[in-house]
Amino acid sequence: MLRVGIAMLQGARHEHAEALRGASKELGFDVEIVQCRRHEDVDSTLDALVLPGGESTTMRIASQHESLLNGLFDWMDAHPQRPVLGTCAGAILMAEPGDGRAAFLGASIARNAWGRQRESFEAVVSVTLEAPEVDAPKAVEPAPRDRFSHQPLEVSSQAAASVESGFPGVFIRAPRFSNEGLRADAIATLGEEIVGVLDGARLGVTFHPELTLDRRFHRWLLTAATLTKEAE
Ligand code: GLN
């Protein structure tokens, strides 16, 4: 059984939980999803982590009370081989952890660099990440939500559908990686633009794969976590 933590700071957390459940069904893996809310929730029994997208400044502020970000970063320092998927604001936090910590992604990133919210867009992204293929996405029950909890975002059916020719990239007030001084592998591109980097076991993308039914990034995470667990 794999244990995968999701940083429950803010943003698209429940969408990642659904994507992980879908990916685990597609792969036939047994996965426990751990909602990490406090520093102590992030312990060495976790095999992988997801840092969702949302708003990185809000996340840094939300983290102050329970020191969750420090817990996540400490875990990443302690377990460099265990995989982490950071999407959008999550990638910002990995590239710029702050407080004098070394970056977890060897890439410079600029926040909100496509422009304002109205410059958000969808585009087909080329992906060269090795993840097991599946014939069709598996349906999963949406997570139960009460009226106080986060509601899932609406995305267009075009973005939600798995497309064969490329990855359906949903860019929401997205950051941009710099091509200069890159010390990681570019695994996702939009024309000349690098939109996803892999640095060892750390994967950061500037778009939102959890808002689509193409779960290859989540399948990558679960597969990488399994391989690392076997090797440890
Ligand atoms: N603009 C956000 C930030 O700077 C990131 C946007 C996102 O995660 N979709 O944190």
Side-chain angles (χ1 to χ4, degrees), residues 53-56 88-89 92 111-112 172-173 208:
E55 221 293 317
S56 54
C88 209
I92 296 172
R111 294 182 60 205
N112 305 332
I172 305 173
R173 216 153 75 89
H208 284 266

Side-chain angles (χ1 to χ4, degrees), residues 6 8-9 21 30 35 48 56 60 71 73 79 91 99 111 120 124-125 131 133 149 158-159 196 228:
I6 301 183
M8 300 301 281
L9 284 164
R21 287 195 288 121
D30 219 0
Q35 300 195 356
S56 54
R60 291 188 206 269
F73 294 151
H79 307 289
D99 285 339
R111 294 182 60 205
S120 296
V124 175
V125 168
E133 305 254 331
S149 71
Q158 189 204 343
T228 305

